[in-house]
Amino acid sequence: MGQQKTILRALAGETLDVPPIWMMRQAGRYLPEYRATRAEAGDFLSLCYNPELAAEVTLQPIRRFGFDAAILFADILLVPQALGADLWFVTGEGPRLSTITGDADFARLKPVSDIHETLNPIYETLRILSGALPRETTLIGFAGAPWTVATYMIAGRGTPDQAPAHALMTQNTAVFEALLARITEATIEYLCAQIEAGAEVVKIFDSWAGSLKGAAFDKYALAPAREITAALKARHPGIPVIGFPREAGEKYIGFHQATGVDCVALDNSVDPEWAAANVQIDGCVQGNLASRHMVTGGEALVSDTRRIVKAFSGGPHIFNLGHGITPDGDPDNVQLMIDTVREGASA
Ligand code: CP3
């Protein structure tokens, strides 16, 4: 029997008349119903670790917009927390973590076998979602890529240029590589547990891949993505993997083959025609509308949406933004994007 879910069909390499669609950060602060549930939970981390409420916010954008996929509500920084890092969020600023500056900090991290103790509520969220989603909606699990997660663990916060992580890479390569290996192993266990709890696809977010150049990209972005993908495919054959090496530029070329991922997610710094010719020739792509259109809307949103749908119409494509929707995004613009994609077949 053929696969019915459109996201899974695209990930299997099928070219569809209308691309399936979901949106990064589709459960988030631009939605009043999200803000209400988050207030009920108390704070962001309490929401992540409350399976009923995390499932509820995951479902909100599905109910409102009928997206083709639901993405688990959680955060990439739960893995560092499960490995023993302190984690908190400063309202209006972002995440804060205890830092890793050398061997002593690394030695304090927990073994990978301990992570499930912290992450069990996340698996429960997935089990709830598996039973609650509409039949046609695909459930996506996710984790951060080792490099991106390491940038936060080393600096203790988000950084514009990932300087502390680059410094540790140079000054204490052994501890830097040990940290990447620990995160890689934890990510494999975490994603396998997500799949066992009901995730039908997993996505690896390497939001800061663009700051790795040349051989460093190959070693710290490509190699970990390949290792994670190979381990997942060995244990769960048939579960598609989406890779997102954000801002990789020319390094998007060949990413499918180099890592074994089924789909490459594209940010909005690359032209869709370029990406169709250079990346989609190797398999499914996802993206790449600029998130700012969700704030500004109008004719520019419609024309860029149509351009992307057209550019990728010759191969497998999942429509998405190039990065997450921001809190000032307007739900009406999200609806306009969806209507444009779904009417796009006839435009
Ligand atoms: O996409 C989804 O709807 C699923 C849930 C999801 C969240 N974060 C929820 C979230 C996913 C997939 C993520 C991934 C994530 N988290 C990434 C990779 C993708 C990217 O955006 O580059 C990164 C780097 C993080 C770390 C993180 N979490 C930061 C830097 C911040 C603060 C910035 C911000 O947007 O506020 C978060 C917080 C966060 N994660 C929020 C949400 C909905 C906002 C928290 C809130 O409600 O106050």
Side-chain angles (χ1 to χ4, degrees), residues 7 13 21 35 51 77 130 135 141 155 168-169 183 186 201 241 257 269-270 277 282 287 289 295 312 327:
I7 295 266
I21 179 166
R35 295 196 297 270
L77 300 177
S130 286
R135 239 190 2 217
L168 189 69
M169 185 195 295
I183 301 167
V201 173
V241 179
Q257 282 105 327
S269 72
V270 292
D282 294 332
L289 186 70
V295 181
F312 293 127

Side-chain angles (χ1 to χ4, degrees), residues 234-306:
R235 279 155 70 173
H236 298 284
I239 295 290
V241 179
I242 304 173
F244 181 35
R246 194 170 72 88
E247 307 260 313
E250 296 277 315
K251 293 283 196 180
Y252 274 123
I253 300 172
F255 196 87
H256 286 96
Q257 282 105 327
T259 60
V261 299
D262 302 272
C263 176
V264 174
L266 303 162
D267 64 76
N268 54 278
S269 72
V270 292
D271 284 337
E273 296 80 13
W274 176 88
N278 290 286
V279 189
Q280 195 190 27
I281 47 159
D282 294 332
C284 187
V285 292
Q286 177 181 278
N288 72 331
L289 186 70
S291 315
R292 64 182 152 73
H293 285 305
M294 299 301 103
V295 181
T296 53
E299 193 43 48
L301 182 164
V302 171
S303 62
D304 270 13
T305 299
R306 287 196 177 136

